[in-house]
Amino acid sequence: EIVLTQSPATLSLSPGERATLSCRASQSVSSYLAWYQQKSGQAPRLLIYDASNRATGIPARFSGSGSGTDFTLTISSLEPEDFAVYFCQQRTNWPITFGQGTRLEIK
Amino acid sequence: EVQLLASGGDLVQPGGSLRLSCAASGFIFSSYAMNWVRQAPGKGLEWVSTIGNTGASTYYADSVKGRFTISRDNSKNTVFLQMTSLRDEDTAVYYCAKSITTINWRDYFDYWGQGTLVTVSS
């Protein structure tokens, strides 16, 4: 099973700041990695797939990068609605696995 | 507009059974794999099961293999999750989710239902 480790567990920033979230895989997942945003009481929303492709309707301030075992989700300038929990997910091998999440909170 | 409406969650005793349903609309249901993902209270996301577009291929997490069965009815645009021998640790919100492509069974999830709560407790 591929283990995805996200860091930090919690990130405290202010609106307008840049956020950098990390996801590290226990073995290479090539570029088969996605990022999701989940707000309290809601279902997750797909942000990025194949490491760097924005999903439909996702604002350009969200970007993804990386390959192999190290990946980054960057939010260039935080909006109030961006404060949420973010998960990464790999589709390289069964079972599909998710990271444990990074909580992005308002400082 | 893609919509996924999950239902069937309930309070059930350990060892009991439950059947979840997810009614889909707004896309060609028979072309896509469908999935169940769960989230225990206050925890992260856990993939549970995937079914290919025809229903011929199914995949399960080890934690549910042999106890849960995924199925689909393409004539009714509905996917099911039959859960048996339920345990306390199966308590979670269960989401149905659509695969993003028509090619991969092991895929990303571009649309999610609202979730249905399963509580296993005596």
Side-chain angles (χ1 to χ4, degrees):
Chain A
E1 172 174 324
I2 296 176
V3 176
L4 300 178
T5 302
Q6 293 186 238
S7 61
T10 303
L11 184 58
S12 299
L13 293 170
S14 301
E17 291 193 291
R18 181 184 188 90
T20 303
L21 288 68
S22 174
C23 178
R24 177 164 289 177
S26 59
Q27 64 188 78
S28 176
V29 298
S30 185
S31 294
Y32 299 132
L33 189 107
W35 291 92
Y36 297 85
Q37 176 193 67
Q38 187 179 32
K39 297 180 181 179
S40 180
Q42 297 184 15
R45 176 174 71 147
L46 178 65
L47 299 175
I48 301 287
Y49 65 94
D50 285 345
S52 61
N53 294 307
R54 272 191 303 278
T56 303
I58 301 303
R61 65 180 181 274
F62 291 91
S63 63
S65 63
S67 66
T69 61
D70 290 298
F71 299 85
T72 301
L73 173 70
T74 301
I75 310 171
S76 58
S77 179
L78 285 165
E79 298 288 341
E81 62 267 26
D82 298 336
F83 292 91
V85 181
Y86 293 83
F87 296 96
C88 55
Q89 175 235 323
Q90 65 81 23
R91 71 165 189 88
T92 298
N93 288 345
W94 297 109
I96 292 168
T97 52
F98 291 88
Q100 84 280 12
T102 289
R103 179 176 302 278
L104 179 55
E105 64 177 26
I106 299 177
K107 187 173 182 180
Chain B
E1 178 190 7
V2 172
Q3 290 193 330
L4 299 171
L5 185 61
S7 61
D10 205 348
L11 172 63
V12 60
Q13 292 188 338
S17 299
L18 208 56
R19 188 195 198 201
L20 306 183
S21 300
C22 176
S25 61
F27 64 102
I28 303 173
F29 181 76
S30 59
S31 294
Y32 292 86
M34 293 295 295
N35 310 271
W36 289 96
V37 177
R38 68 185 181 183
Q39 187 169 35
K43 302 298 185 182
L45 301 170
E46 179 187 16
W47 168 78
V48 172
S49 184
T50 295
I51 186 167
N53 68 319
T54 66
S57 300
T58 57
Y59 307 86
Y60 298 94
D62 284 347
S63 58
V64 307
K65 199 172 294 183
R67 300 187 299 122
F68 290 11
T69 302
I70 192 170
S71 62
R72 64 190 294 160
D73 184 341
N74 284 348
S75 70
K76 296 182 179 179
N77 289 359
T78 302
V79 61
F80 305 97
L81 187 67
Q82 178 69 48
M83 304 185 294
T84 63
S85 302
L86 283 161
R87 306 167 180 168
D88 290 353
E89 56 264 34
D90 295 318
T91 293
V93 173
Y94 285 73
Y95 295 102
C96 58
K98 170 186 167 291
S99 289
I100 193 172
T101 72
T102 60
I103 299 173
N104 302 310
W105 293 164
R106 194 172 59 233
D107 211 344
Y108 311 116
F109 313 128
D110 59 348
Y111 289 95
W112 298 62
Q114 85 287 4
T116 188
L117 177 62
V118 174
T119 304
V120 183
S121 175
S122 54

